[in-house]
Amino acid sequence: MDRADDGESISRLLRAWRGRVDARTVRELRGLFPRPGRRLSQAHVARMTGVSEGWYRALEAGRRQDFSERFLLRVAEALRLSEAETLTLFLAVSGRRPPEAGRDRTDLPRGVQALLQQQVTYPAYLSDGAWNVVAANALMGEWFPWVLRPRPNLMRWALLDPEAREQMLDWEDACARVYLAMLRVAANSDPGNAELRALVQEILDSDADCRRIWAEEYDVVEHRDGHVFRLRLPYHGHAEVCVTSHVLLPIQRTDLRFVFITPADGWAGVPR
């Protein structure tokens, strides 16, 4: 994890971050004897994070250990790290981003909101890790009115709503098998996500076709980016259209998916 001569190593950064905290201002260290001076020591940080000094020393020395997410969050709090510094700590130590807990899930970045609403040529929407649609542009609501219902969810609509089987042509192969394969990846990638587990269970409990496909298939699909599918929607007078989905991850909110839908390559366009 660390190289001793690397000026950008996490060891060097941790020492610098610790060095800028005045131990005299730390509430958790009040009442200690002898009273701490200005310098915040490794022992102090260990005390503040609830671990042994040796365990914290291993982190600061760059030794590979099974450092938990909870411990790294406590370190970030003890060292008064900014959001960017906390991200750097997590990526350097565990290779993953810090959890999104505590963030208002409806608080969307202005730039992402503006980009969504300014997209007036094709349908576009934002969905979270459990495929809840948290925002959509006007055209998405015209093509797919289900997104205007309370608590819209892509998987719940596509796999359980009877209208999806009419509107998404070749439903079993082009829709159900792909979406269930995506759910399989998500469920294994985030086993602690109770909402996601409940969604999978609801779909399997509610539909015999989904249960059959889930039992007989082992395919896994991470995302629908570039996926081509055929639709027959009331918006187009029930004429068949062929479209491609594009999936982007907003850098400010990597827990969200920015999805927009365009005519497939070679398709002349979509009727209005």
Side-chain angles (χ1 to χ4, degrees), residues 22-59:
D22 188 340
R24 297 170 297 184
T25 66
V26 177
R27 179 168 51 88
E28 296 91 333
L29 301 182
R30 292 174 185 171
L32 284 185
F33 185 82
R35 185 176 179 180
R38 184 191 178 285
R39 186 175 183 275
L40 186 68
S41 68
Q42 291 182 340
H44 291 150
V45 180
R47 180 185 180 92
M48 295 161 65
T49 54
V51 299
S52 68
E53 184 178 349
W55 188 252
Y56 175 75
R57 187 184 300 117
L59 172 70

PDB file of all heavy atoms in Angstrom, residues 22-59:
ATOM      1  N   ASP A  22      -4.399  20.200  16.604  1.00  0.00           N
ATOM      2  CA  ASP A  22      -3.911  20.602  17.918  1.00  0.00           C
ATOM      3  C   ASP A  22      -4.580  19.722  18.971  1.00  0.00           C
ATOM      4  O   ASP A  22      -5.796  19.786  19.164  1.00  0.00           O
ATOM      5  CB  ASP A  22      -4.242  22.073  18.161  1.00  0.00           C
ATOM      6  CG  ASP A  22      -3.595  22.621  19.424  1.00  0.00           C
ATOM      7  OD1 ASP A  22      -3.219  21.807  20.302  1.00  0.00           O
ATOM      8  OD2 ASP A  22      -3.495  23.854  19.545  1.00  0.00           O
ATOM      9  N   ALA A  23      -3.776  18.874  19.654  1.00  0.00           N
ATOM     10  CA  ALA A  23      -4.329  17.939  20.633  1.00  0.00           C
ATOM     11  C   ALA A  23      -5.053  18.656  21.766  1.00  0.00           C
ATOM     12  O   ALA A  23      -5.959  18.081  22.382  1.00  0.00           O
ATOM     13  CB  ALA A  23      -3.212  17.054  21.196  1.00  0.00           C
ATOM     14  N   ARG A  24      -4.693  19.898  22.027  1.00  0.00           N
ATOM     15  CA  ARG A  24      -5.319  20.642  23.120  1.00  0.00           C
ATOM     16  C   ARG A  24      -6.769  20.992  22.817  1.00  0.00           C
ATOM     17  O   ARG A  24      -7.528  21.334  23.719  1.00  0.00           O
ATOM     18  CB  ARG A  24      -4.518  21.912  23.406  1.00  0.00           C
ATOM     19  CG  ARG A  24      -3.092  21.651  23.892  1.00  0.00           C
ATOM     20  CD  ARG A  24      -2.262  22.916  23.918  1.00  0.00           C
ATOM     21  NE  ARG A  24      -2.106  23.485  22.571  1.00  0.00           N
ATOM     22  CZ  ARG A  24      -1.364  24.557  22.307  1.00  0.00           C
ATOM     23  NH1 ARG A  24      -0.715  25.179  23.292  1.00  0.00           N
ATOM     24  NH2 ARG A  24      -1.274  25.015  21.075  1.00  0.00           N
ATOM     25  N   THR A  25      -7.161  20.911  21.542  1.00  0.00           N
ATOM     26  CA  THR A  25      -8.533  21.257  21.163  1.00  0.00           C
ATOM     27  C   THR A  25      -9.430  20.032  21.026  1.00  0.00           C
ATOM     28  O   THR A  25     -10.606  20.175  20.690  1.00  0.00           O
ATOM     29  CB  THR A  25      -8.531  22.018  19.828  1.00  0.00           C
ATOM     30  OG1 THR A  25      -8.089  21.134  18.777  1.00  0.00           O
ATOM     31  CG2 THR A  25      -7.616  23.232  19.889  1.00  0.00           C
ATOM     32  N   VAL A  26      -8.878  18.847  21.281  1.00  0.00           N
ATOM     33  CA  VAL A  26      -9.636  17.613  21.084  1.00  0.00           C
ATOM     34  C   VAL A  26     -10.393  17.262  22.363  1.00  0.00           C
ATOM     35  O   VAL A  26      -9.790  17.008  23.405  1.00  0.00           O
ATOM     36  CB  VAL A  26      -8.703  16.449  20.674  1.00  0.00           C
ATOM     37  CG1 VAL A  26      -9.497  15.154  20.537  1.00  0.00           C
ATOM     38  CG2 VAL A  26      -7.985  16.783  19.360  1.00  0.00           C
ATOM     39  N   ARG A  27     -11.697  17.255  22.262  1.00  0.00           N
ATOM     40  CA  ARG A  27     -12.539  17.025  23.443  1.00  0.00           C
ATOM     41  C   ARG A  27     -12.274  15.662  24.079  1.00  0.00           C
ATOM     42  O   ARG A  27     -12.261  15.534  25.303  1.00  0.00           O
ATOM     43  CB  ARG A  27     -14.012  17.137  23.031  1.00  0.00           C
ATOM     44  CG  ARG A  27     -15.015  16.898  24.151  1.00  0.00           C
ATOM     45  CD  ARG A  27     -16.400  17.324  23.693  1.00  0.00           C
ATOM     46  NE  ARG A  27     -16.727  16.728  22.401  1.00  0.00           N
ATOM     47  CZ  ARG A  27     -17.298  15.516  22.279  1.00  0.00           C
ATOM     48  NH1 ARG A  27     -17.582  14.820  23.352  1.00  0.00           N
ATOM     49  NH2 ARG A  27     -17.584  15.035  21.091  1.00  0.00           N
ATOM     50  N   GLU A  28     -12.062  14.628  23.256  1.00  0.00           N
ATOM     51  CA  GLU A  28     -11.865  13.274  23.780  1.00  0.00           C
ATOM     52  C   GLU A  28     -10.592  13.137  24.611  1.00  0.00           C
ATOM     53  O   GLU A  28     -10.447  12.168  25.369  1.00  0.00           O
ATOM     54  CB  GLU A  28     -11.830  12.247  22.637  1.00  0.00           C
ATOM     55  CG  GLU A  28     -13.129  12.120  21.864  1.00  0.00           C
ATOM     56  CD  GLU A  28     -13.187  13.060  20.671  1.00  0.00           C
ATOM     57  OE1 GLU A  28     -12.521  14.130  20.714  1.00  0.00           O
ATOM     58  OE2 GLU A  28     -13.882  12.727  19.704  1.00  0.00           O
ATOM     59  N   LEU A  29      -9.662  14.088  24.489  1.00  0.00           N
ATOM     60  CA  LEU A  29      -8.384  13.983  25.199  1.00  0.00           C
ATOM     61  C   LEU A  29      -8.356  14.831  26.476  1.00  0.00           C
ATOM     62  O   LEU A  29      -7.356  14.808  27.198  1.00  0.00           O
ATOM     63  CB  LEU A  29      -7.236  14.417  24.276  1.00  0.00           C
ATOM     64  CG  LEU A  29      -7.085  13.614  22.981  1.00  0.00           C
ATOM     65  CD1 LEU A  29      -5.894  14.120  22.181  1.00  0.00           C
ATOM     66  CD2 LEU A  29      -6.927  12.124  23.267  1.00  0.00           C
ATOM     67  N   ARG A  30      -9.432  15.523  26.759  1.00  0.00           N
ATOM     68  CA  ARG A  30      -9.465  16.338  27.965  1.00  0.00           C
ATOM     69  C   ARG A  30      -9.498  15.434  29.199  1.00  0.00           C
ATOM     70  O   ARG A  30     -10.153  14.396  29.212  1.00  0.00           O
ATOM     71  CB  ARG A  30     -10.692  17.251  27.961  1.00  0.00           C
ATOM     72  CG  ARG A  30     -10.629  18.328  26.882  1.00  0.00           C
ATOM     73  CD  ARG A  30     -11.926  19.116  26.805  1.00  0.00           C
ATOM     74  NE  ARG A  30     -11.891  20.063  25.696  1.00  0.00           N
ATOM     75  CZ  ARG A  30     -12.948  20.762  25.275  1.00  0.00           C
ATOM     76  NH1 ARG A  30     -14.123  20.620  25.905  1.00  0.00           N
ATOM     77  NH2 ARG A  30     -12.835  21.590  24.258  1.00  0.00           N
ATOM     78  N   GLY A  31      -8.782  15.846  30.221  1.00  0.00           N
ATOM     79  CA  GLY A  31      -8.731  15.063  31.458  1.00  0.00           C
ATOM     80  C   GLY A  31      -7.628  14.032  31.478  1.00  0.00           C
ATOM     81  O   GLY A  31      -7.446  13.341  32.489  1.00  0.00           O
ATOM     82  N   LEU A  32      -6.897  13.892  30.369  1.00  0.00           N
ATOM     83  CA  LEU A  32      -5.780  12.946  30.356  1.00  0.00           C
ATOM     84  C   LEU A  32      -4.644  13.475  31.232  1.00  0.00           C
ATOM     85  O   LEU A  32      -4.444  14.678  31.362  1.00  0.00           O
ATOM     86  CB  LEU A  32      -5.275  12.739  28.923  1.00  0.00           C
ATOM     87  CG  LEU A  32      -6.098  11.870  27.967  1.00  0.00           C
ATOM     88  CD1 LEU A  32      -5.343  11.707  26.662  1.00  0.00           C
ATOM     89  CD2 LEU A  32      -6.402  10.514  28.573  1.00  0.00           C
ATOM     90  N   PHE A  33      -3.908  12.541  31.813  1.00  0.00           N
ATOM     91  CA  PHE A  33      -2.710  12.927  32.567  1.00  0.00           C
ATOM     92  C   PHE A  33      -1.550  12.034  32.108  1.00  0.00           C
ATOM     93  O   PHE A  33      -1.682  10.809  32.074  1.00  0.00           O
ATOM     94  CB  PHE A  33      -2.938  12.746  34.071  1.00  0.00           C
ATOM     95  CG  PHE A  33      -1.783  13.244  34.887  1.00  0.00           C
ATOM     96  CD1 PHE A  33      -1.657  14.597  35.190  1.00  0.00           C
ATOM     97  CD2 PHE A  33      -0.794  12.355  35.318  1.00  0.00           C
ATOM     98  CE1 PHE A  33      -0.577  15.054  35.930  1.00  0.00           C
ATOM     99  CE2 PHE A  33       0.286  12.813  36.046  1.00  0.00           C
ATOM    100  CZ  PHE A  33       0.395  14.164  36.361  1.00  0.00           C
ATOM    101  N   PRO A  34      -0.441  12.612  31.696  1.00  0.00           N
ATOM    102  CA  PRO A  34      -0.233  14.066  31.655  1.00  0.00           C
ATOM    103  C   PRO A  34      -1.052  14.707  30.539  1.00  0.00           C
ATOM    104  O   PRO A  34      -1.375  14.062  29.554  1.00  0.00           O
ATOM    105  CB  PRO A  34       1.261  14.190  31.379  1.00  0.00           C
ATOM    106  CG  PRO A  34       1.606  12.941  30.638  1.00  0.00           C
ATOM    107  CD  PRO A  34       0.741  11.868  31.236  1.00  0.00           C
ATOM    108  N   ARG A  35      -1.373  15.948  30.732  1.00  0.00           N
ATOM    109  CA  ARG A  35      -2.179  16.683  29.757  1.00  0.00           C
ATOM    110  C   ARG A  35      -1.438  16.770  28.430  1.00  0.00           C
ATOM    111  O   ARG A  35      -0.246  17.089  28.398  1.00  0.00           O
ATOM    112  CB  ARG A  35      -2.463  18.080  30.295  1.00  0.00           C
ATOM    113  CG  ARG A  35      -3.406  18.892  29.423  1.00  0.00           C
ATOM    114  CD  ARG A  35      -3.702  20.218  30.077  1.00  0.00           C
ATOM    115  NE  ARG A  35      -4.595  21.006  29.241  1.00  0.00           N
ATOM    116  CZ  ARG A  35      -5.025  22.223  29.563  1.00  0.00           C
ATOM    117  NH1 ARG A  35      -4.609  22.784  30.707  1.00  0.00           N
ATOM    118  NH2 ARG A  35      -5.841  22.893  28.769  1.00  0.00           N
ATOM    119  N   PRO A  36      -2.131  16.454  27.328  1.00  0.00           N
ATOM    120  CA  PRO A  36      -1.436  16.478  26.031  1.00  0.00           C
ATOM    121  C   PRO A  36      -1.021  17.885  25.628  1.00  0.00           C
ATOM    122  O   PRO A  36      -1.718  18.873  25.936  1.00  0.00           O
ATOM    123  CB  PRO A  36      -2.493  15.929  25.065  1.00  0.00           C
ATOM    124  CG  PRO A  36      -3.799  16.182  25.736  1.00  0.00           C
ATOM    125  CD  PRO A  36      -3.536  16.064  27.206  1.00  0.00           C
ATOM    126  N   GLY A  37       0.131  17.956  24.977  1.00  0.00           N
ATOM    127  CA  GLY A  37       0.556  19.227  24.412  1.00  0.00           C
ATOM    128  C   GLY A  37      -0.087  19.434  23.059  1.00  0.00           C
ATOM    129  O   GLY A  37      -1.091  18.796  22.725  1.00  0.00           O
ATOM    130  N   ARG A  38       0.525  20.280  22.266  1.00  0.00           N
ATOM    131  CA  ARG A  38      -0.075  20.587  20.977  1.00  0.00           C
ATOM    132  C   ARG A  38      -0.027  19.395  20.047  1.00  0.00           C
ATOM    133  O   ARG A  38      -0.953  19.174  19.263  1.00  0.00           O
ATOM    134  CB  ARG A  38       0.651  21.768  20.322  1.00  0.00           C
ATOM    135  CG  ARG A  38       0.004  22.186  19.007  1.00  0.00           C
ATOM    136  CD  ARG A  38       0.839  23.157  18.196  1.00  0.00           C
ATOM    137  NE  ARG A  38       0.174  23.476  16.952  1.00  0.00           N
ATOM    138  CZ  ARG A  38       0.097  22.673  15.907  1.00  0.00           C
ATOM    139  NH1 ARG A  38       0.670  21.466  15.958  1.00  0.00           N
ATOM    140  NH2 ARG A  38      -0.539  23.043  14.806  1.00  0.00           N
ATOM    141  N   ARG A  39       1.022  18.607  20.095  1.00  0.00           N
ATOM    142  CA  ARG A  39       1.217  17.548  19.113  1.00  0.00           C
ATOM    143  C   ARG A  39       0.253  16.383  19.342  1.00  0.00           C
ATOM    144  O   ARG A  39       0.187  15.807  20.432  1.00  0.00           O
ATOM    145  CB  ARG A  39       2.662  17.037  19.171  1.00  0.00           C
ATOM    146  CG  ARG A  39       3.006  16.030  18.087  1.00  0.00           C
ATOM    147  CD  ARG A  39       4.485  15.669  18.138  1.00  0.00           C
ATOM    148  NE  ARG A  39       4.847  14.754  17.070  1.00  0.00           N
ATOM    149  CZ  ARG A  39       4.701  13.433  17.152  1.00  0.00           C
ATOM    150  NH1 ARG A  39       4.221  12.889  18.258  1.00  0.00           N
ATOM    151  NH2 ARG A  39       5.042  12.653  16.144  1.00  0.00           N
ATOM    152  N   LEU A  40      -0.492  16.027  18.320  1.00  0.00           N
ATOM    153  CA  LEU A  40      -1.386  14.870  18.372  1.00  0.00           C
ATOM    154  C   LEU A  40      -0.577  13.632  18.015  1.00  0.00           C
ATOM    155  O   LEU A  40      -0.020  13.528  16.924  1.00  0.00           O
ATOM    156  CB  LEU A  40      -2.540  15.050  17.380  1.00  0.00           C
ATOM    157  CG  LEU A  40      -3.636  13.988  17.407  1.00  0.00           C
ATOM    158  CD1 LEU A  40      -4.437  14.066  18.702  1.00  0.00           C
ATOM    159  CD2 LEU A  40      -4.566  14.143  16.196  1.00  0.00           C
ATOM    160  N   SER A  41      -0.494  12.682  18.936  1.00  0.00           N
ATOM    161  CA  SER A  41       0.339  11.494  18.727  1.00  0.00           C
ATOM    162  C   SER A  41      -0.478  10.345  18.133  1.00  0.00           C
ATOM    163  O   SER A  41      -1.711  10.385  18.086  1.00  0.00           O
ATOM    164  CB  SER A  41       0.934  11.042  20.055  1.00  0.00           C
ATOM    165  OG  SER A  41      -0.087  10.546  20.910  1.00  0.00           O
ATOM    166  N   GLN A  42       0.228   9.303  17.714  1.00  0.00           N
ATOM    167  CA  GLN A  42      -0.443   8.095  17.247  1.00  0.00           C
ATOM    168  C   GLN A  42      -1.279   7.479  18.361  1.00  0.00           C
ATOM    169  O   GLN A  42      -2.379   6.964  18.122  1.00  0.00           O
ATOM    170  CB  GLN A  42       0.590   7.089  16.729  1.00  0.00           C
ATOM    171  CG  GLN A  42       1.278   7.516  15.447  1.00  0.00           C
ATOM    172  CD  GLN A  42       2.265   6.469  14.954  1.00  0.00           C
ATOM    173  OE1 GLN A  42       2.718   5.611  15.714  1.00  0.00           O
ATOM    174  NE2 GLN A  42       2.603   6.540  13.674  1.00  0.00           N
ATOM    175  N   ALA A  43      -0.768   7.539  19.587  1.00  0.00           N
ATOM    176  CA  ALA A  43      -1.513   6.996  20.730  1.00  0.00           C
ATOM    177  C   ALA A  43      -2.815   7.758  20.934  1.00  0.00           C
ATOM    178  O   ALA A  43      -3.851   7.167  21.265  1.00  0.00           O
ATOM    179  CB  ALA A  43      -0.660   7.061  21.986  1.00  0.00           C
ATOM    180  N   HIS A  44      -2.762   9.064  20.714  1.00  0.00           N
ATOM    181  CA  HIS A  44      -3.982   9.862  20.837  1.00  0.00           C
ATOM    182  C   HIS A  44      -5.025   9.435  19.799  1.00  0.00           C
ATOM    183  O   HIS A  44      -6.208   9.260  20.109  1.00  0.00           O
ATOM    184  CB  HIS A  44      -3.666  11.349  20.653  1.00  0.00           C
ATOM    185  CG  HIS A  44      -2.867  11.936  21.769  1.00  0.00           C
ATOM    186  ND1 HIS A  44      -1.993  12.992  21.575  1.00  0.00           N
ATOM    187  CD2 HIS A  44      -2.787  11.612  23.087  1.00  0.00           C
ATOM    188  CE1 HIS A  44      -1.425  13.304  22.724  1.00  0.00           C
ATOM    189  NE2 HIS A  44      -1.888  12.474  23.661  1.00  0.00           N
ATOM    190  N   VAL A  45      -4.577   9.286  18.563  1.00  0.00           N
ATOM    191  CA  VAL A  45      -5.512   8.898  17.498  1.00  0.00           C
ATOM    192  C   VAL A  45      -6.077   7.512  17.779  1.00  0.00           C
ATOM    193  O   VAL A  45      -7.268   7.259  17.565  1.00  0.00           O
ATOM    194  CB  VAL A  45      -4.828   8.948  16.117  1.00  0.00           C
ATOM    195  CG1 VAL A  45      -5.816   8.532  15.024  1.00  0.00           C
ATOM    196  CG2 VAL A  45      -4.272  10.340  15.832  1.00  0.00           C
ATOM    197  N   ALA A  46      -5.236   6.600  18.268  1.00  0.00           N
ATOM    198  CA  ALA A  46      -5.714   5.265  18.611  1.00  0.00           C
ATOM    199  C   ALA A  46      -6.805   5.344  19.671  1.00  0.00           C
ATOM    200  O   ALA A  46      -7.835   4.666  19.582  1.00  0.00           O
ATOM    201  CB  ALA A  46      -4.553   4.402  19.095  1.00  0.00           C
ATOM    202  N   ARG A  47      -6.580   6.198  20.682  1.00  0.00           N
ATOM    203  CA  ARG A  47      -7.579   6.356  21.742  1.00  0.00           C
ATOM    204  C   ARG A  47      -8.882   6.925  21.175  1.00  0.00           C
ATOM    205  O   ARG A  47      -9.978   6.488  21.530  1.00  0.00           O
ATOM    206  CB  ARG A  47      -7.022   7.278  22.833  1.00  0.00           C
ATOM    207  CG  ARG A  47      -7.980   7.518  24.011  1.00  0.00           C
ATOM    208  CD  ARG A  47      -7.410   8.541  24.983  1.00  0.00           C
ATOM    209  NE  ARG A  47      -8.304   8.781  26.102  1.00  0.00           N
ATOM    210  CZ  ARG A  47      -8.253   8.129  27.254  1.00  0.00           C
ATOM    211  NH1 ARG A  47      -7.338   7.182  27.446  1.00  0.00           N
ATOM    212  NH2 ARG A  47      -9.128   8.402  28.217  1.00  0.00           N
ATOM    213  N   MET A  48      -8.773   7.892  20.288  1.00  0.00           N
ATOM    214  CA  MET A  48      -9.950   8.549  19.720  1.00  0.00           C
ATOM    215  C   MET A  48     -10.731   7.622  18.795  1.00  0.00           C
ATOM    216  O   MET A  48     -11.943   7.790  18.616  1.00  0.00           O
ATOM    217  CB  MET A  48      -9.514   9.797  18.943  1.00  0.00           C
ATOM    218  CG  MET A  48      -8.898  10.881  19.819  1.00  0.00           C
ATOM    219  SD  MET A  48      -7.920  12.069  18.872  1.00  0.00           S
ATOM    220  CE  MET A  48      -9.176  12.831  17.850  1.00  0.00           C
ATOM    221  N   THR A  49     -10.060   6.633  18.217  1.00  0.00           N
ATOM    222  CA  THR A  49     -10.730   5.732  17.266  1.00  0.00           C
ATOM    223  C   THR A  49     -11.065   4.374  17.872  1.00  0.00           C
ATOM    224  O   THR A  49     -11.633   3.512  17.198  1.00  0.00           O
ATOM    225  CB  THR A  49      -9.859   5.525  16.015  1.00  0.00           C
ATOM    226  OG1 THR A  49      -8.552   5.068  16.410  1.00  0.00           O
ATOM    227  CG2 THR A  49      -9.731   6.821  15.235  1.00  0.00           C
ATOM    228  N   GLY A  50     -10.675   4.172  19.132  1.00  0.00           N
ATOM    229  CA  GLY A  50     -11.059   2.945  19.822  1.00  0.00           C
ATOM    230  C   GLY A  50     -10.277   1.714  19.422  1.00  0.00           C
ATOM    231  O   GLY A  50     -10.804   0.603  19.478  1.00  0.00           O
ATOM    232  N   VAL A  51      -9.017   1.881  19.032  1.00  0.00           N
ATOM    233  CA  VAL A  51      -8.179   0.736  18.661  1.00  0.00           C
ATOM    234  C   VAL A  51      -6.865   0.820  19.430  1.00  0.00           C
ATOM    235  O   VAL A  51      -6.582   1.809  20.114  1.00  0.00           O
ATOM    236  CB  VAL A  51      -7.896   0.716  17.138  1.00  0.00           C
ATOM    237  CG1 VAL A  51      -9.195   0.599  16.353  1.00  0.00           C
ATOM    238  CG2 VAL A  51      -7.108   1.960  16.701  1.00  0.00           C
ATOM    239  N   SER A  52      -6.071  -0.227  19.309  1.00  0.00           N
ATOM    240  CA  SER A  52      -4.761  -0.201  19.955  1.00  0.00           C
ATOM    241  C   SER A  52      -3.826   0.726  19.188  1.00  0.00           C
ATOM    242  O   SER A  52      -4.028   0.999  18.000  1.00  0.00           O
ATOM    243  CB  SER A  52      -4.162  -1.610  19.988  1.00  0.00           C
ATOM    244  OG  SER A  52      -3.825  -2.043  18.672  1.00  0.00           O
ATOM    245  N   GLU A  53      -2.798   1.191  19.877  1.00  0.00           N
ATOM    246  CA  GLU A  53      -1.830   2.051  19.203  1.00  0.00           C
ATOM    247  C   GLU A  53      -1.159   1.312  18.055  1.00  0.00           C
ATOM    248  O   GLU A  53      -0.877   1.888  17.003  1.00  0.00           O
ATOM    249  CB  GLU A  53      -0.780   2.541  20.206  1.00  0.00           C
ATOM    250  CG  GLU A  53       0.219   3.520  19.608  1.00  0.00           C
ATOM    251  CD  GLU A  53       1.217   4.041  20.631  1.00  0.00           C
ATOM    252  OE1 GLU A  53       1.003   3.802  21.849  1.00  0.00           O
ATOM    253  OE2 GLU A  53       2.203   4.693  20.218  1.00  0.00           O
ATOM    254  N   GLY A  54      -0.891   0.012  18.246  1.00  0.00           N
ATOM    255  CA  GLY A  54      -0.263  -0.775  17.193  1.00  0.00           C
ATOM    256  C   GLY A  54      -1.124  -0.866  15.941  1.00  0.00           C
ATOM    257  O   GLY A  54      -0.609  -0.865  14.819  1.00  0.00           O
ATOM    258  N   TRP A  55      -2.441  -0.951  16.139  1.00  0.00           N
ATOM    259  CA  TRP A  55      -3.342  -1.057  14.978  1.00  0.00           C
ATOM    260  C   TRP A  55      -3.328   0.243  14.178  1.00  0.00           C
ATOM    261  O   TRP A  55      -3.227   0.227  12.952  1.00  0.00           O
ATOM    262  CB  TRP A  55      -4.755  -1.374  15.464  1.00  0.00           C
ATOM    263  CG  TRP A  55      -5.730  -1.684  14.360  1.00  0.00           C
ATOM    264  CD1 TRP A  55      -6.740  -0.903  13.918  1.00  0.00           C
ATOM    265  CD2 TRP A  55      -5.764  -2.873  13.550  1.00  0.00           C
ATOM    266  NE1 TRP A  55      -7.422  -1.507  12.888  1.00  0.00           N
ATOM    267  CE2 TRP A  55      -6.846  -2.733  12.640  1.00  0.00           C
ATOM    268  CE3 TRP A  55      -4.997  -4.037  13.510  1.00  0.00           C
ATOM    269  CZ2 TRP A  55      -7.165  -3.713  11.702  1.00  0.00           C
ATOM    270  CZ3 TRP A  55      -5.322  -5.022  12.576  1.00  0.00           C
ATOM    271  CH2 TRP A  55      -6.393  -4.842  11.690  1.00  0.00           C
ATOM    272  N   TYR A  56      -3.399   1.400  14.890  1.00  0.00           N
ATOM    273  CA  TYR A  56      -3.343   2.651  14.162  1.00  0.00           C
ATOM    274  C   TYR A  56      -1.966   2.847  13.535  1.00  0.00           C
ATOM    275  O   TYR A  56      -1.847   3.336  12.403  1.00  0.00           O
ATOM    276  CB  TYR A  56      -3.675   3.852  15.052  1.00  0.00           C
ATOM    277  CG  TYR A  56      -3.496   5.142  14.284  1.00  0.00           C
ATOM    278  CD1 TYR A  56      -4.434   5.530  13.337  1.00  0.00           C
ATOM    279  CD2 TYR A  56      -2.345   5.922  14.452  1.00  0.00           C
ATOM    280  CE1 TYR A  56      -4.246   6.663  12.568  1.00  0.00           C
ATOM    281  CE2 TYR A  56      -2.160   7.059  13.690  1.00  0.00           C
ATOM    282  CZ  TYR A  56      -3.110   7.431  12.748  1.00  0.00           C
ATOM    283  OH  TYR A  56      -2.911   8.550  11.974  1.00  0.00           O
ATOM    284  N   ARG A  57      -0.916   2.458  14.258  1.00  0.00           N
ATOM    285  CA  ARG A  57       0.446   2.611  13.719  1.00  0.00           C
ATOM    286  C   ARG A  57       0.594   1.840  12.407  1.00  0.00           C
ATOM    287  O   ARG A  57       1.261   2.289  11.480  1.00  0.00           O
ATOM    288  CB  ARG A  57       1.468   2.129  14.740  1.00  0.00           C
ATOM    289  CG  ARG A  57       2.921   2.417  14.312  1.00  0.00           C
ATOM    290  CD  ARG A  57       3.924   1.845  15.297  1.00  0.00           C
ATOM    291  NE  ARG A  57       3.742   2.411  16.629  1.00  0.00           N
ATOM    292  CZ  ARG A  57       3.405   1.698  17.704  1.00  0.00           C
ATOM    293  NH1 ARG A  57       3.222   0.388  17.610  1.00  0.00           N
ATOM    294  NH2 ARG A  57       3.262   2.282  18.877  1.00  0.00           N
ATOM    295  N   ALA A  58      -0.059   0.664  12.320  1.00  0.00           N
ATOM    296  CA  ALA A  58       0.006  -0.131  11.086  1.00  0.00           C
ATOM    297  C   ALA A  58      -0.621   0.625   9.922  1.00  0.00           C
ATOM    298  O   ALA A  58      -0.124   0.589   8.792  1.00  0.00           O
ATOM    299  CB  ALA A  58      -0.705  -1.472  11.292  1.00  0.00           C
ATOM    300  N   LEU A  59      -1.713   1.332  10.207  1.00  0.00           N
ATOM    301  CA  LEU A  59      -2.341   2.136   9.156  1.00  0.00           C
ATOM    302  C   LEU A  59      -1.405   3.232   8.693  1.00  0.00           C
ATOM    303  O   LEU A  59      -1.166   3.403   7.492  1.00  0.00           O
ATOM    304  CB  LEU A  59      -3.649   2.739   9.681  1.00  0.00           C
ATOM    305  CG  LEU A  59      -4.322   3.756   8.753  1.00  0.00           C
ATOM    306  CD1 LEU A  59      -4.881   3.061   7.521  1.00  0.00           C
ATOM    307  CD2 LEU A  59      -5.420   4.525   9.493  1.00  0.00           C
TER     308      LEU A  59
END
